[in-house]
Amino acid sequence: MSWSQAVEKTVTGLGYELVDVERSAGGLLRVYIDRVPGKTYPTGGQEFVTVEDCEAVTRQLQYVLEVEDVDYARLEVSSPGLDRPLKTAEHYARFAGQQVQITLKLPFQGRKKYEGLLQAADTGEGWQLVFHDGKVDQVLDFSLDEVREARLVPVLDFKGRRNKAAPAAQPQSSGNAGDETTDGGQEE
């Protein structure tokens, strides 16, 4: 079994999706995993990959790679991140309705990069990207064969930094430093 087959079999055997694998000349083996929607995990019911997920996969991969005699200097297991790559038709279907950025292999109307809302094509074959060109909404029809790279557009929502309507007059602080509470921008 090749090293890539060993990695894929191990990750999928643990119930995770193998998103990508990178191997560098310096001996780094980097594995990107994601949770499968609707599946329950012993590490909790969160929607996204946790540190515990990465630890579990790392432990199992270290064992398997040793048994398979795979030469590597360092192993990193992580989530695909907020700007997760879309590589398969299943990825596109899973993230339909979300903002994505695609880079085409060949330019269309003088450009290769587009960002917009991903949708399944009306014809049932291929995909559409609905984007705003500065004047009106446009629709770009494409197939996976035409895409060099596709990634989710990160959606960052920092609590307390939202653009809200100005509140009515706020009561004055008493000046005691201990009276103010902040959440440090963390979601609860």
Side-chain angles (χ1 to χ4, degrees):
M1 180 175 358
S2 73
W3 69 269
S4 60
Q5 290 171 324
V7 168
E8 183 173 6
K9 186 174 181 179
T10 303
V11 171
T12 57
L14 291 170
Y16 296 94
E17 175 190 4
L18 179 63
V19 176
D20 203 3
V21 178
E22 297 174 0
R23 192 162 183 172
S24 72
L28 172 65
L29 179 58
R30 186 174 289 137
V31 178
Y32 297 98
I33 63 170
D34 202 359
R35 287 183 165 208
V36 176
K39 183 168 176 15
T40 57
Y41 292 90
T43 56
Q46 299 88 344
E47 179 182 352
F48 303 105
V49 172
T50 65
V51 172
E52 291 81 13
D53 293 325
C54 295
E55 288 173 351
V57 172
T58 298
R59 281 192 299 274
Q60 190 64 30
L61 276 175
Q62 287 172 331
Y63 173 75
V64 169
L65 295 173
E66 184 178 332
V67 168
E68 293 292 327
D69 197 29
V70 175
D71 186 34
Y72 68 97
R74 193 173 79 215
L75 174 65
E76 289 181 9
V77 176
S78 71
S79 76
L82 294 175
D83 62 342
R84 181 195 203 285
L86 306 180
K87 296 187 173 251
T88 66
E90 291 79 20
H91 292 166
Y92 282 76
R94 177 176 169 191
F95 294 104
Q98 296 199 28
Q99 289 285 91
V100 299
Q101 183 180 65
I102 64 169
T103 303
L104 300 173
K105 292 176 182 174
L106 299 172
F108 177 73
Q109 294 182 347
R111 66 188 239 206
K112 290 184 179 182
K113 287 192 175 199
Y114 292 86
E115 184 177 312
L117 188 69
L118 178 66
Q119 299 177 345
D122 295 334
T123 61
E125 291 185 28
W127 298 93
Q128 292 181 332
L129 192 69
V130 179
F131 65 97
H132 192 74
D133 73 352
K135 298 176 186 166
V136 296
D137 283 344
Q138 299 276 332
V139 177
L140 172 68
D141 290 303
F142 65 94
S143 69
L144 297 187
D145 294 342
E146 297 173 295
V147 176
R148 172 174 289 138
E149 180 183 40
R151 292 187 167 275
L152 290 179
V153 173
V155 176
L156 303 175
D157 187 13
F158 296 106
K159 189 175 181 179
R161 294 184 183 246
R162 296 181 190 133
N163 187 10
K164 297 178 184 176
Q170 294 290 323
Q172 294 294 324
S173 171
S174 64
N176 294 339
D179 289 346
E180 288 188 35
T181 59
T182 61
D183 64 1
Q186 299 294 315
E187 290 289 328
E188 294 180 25

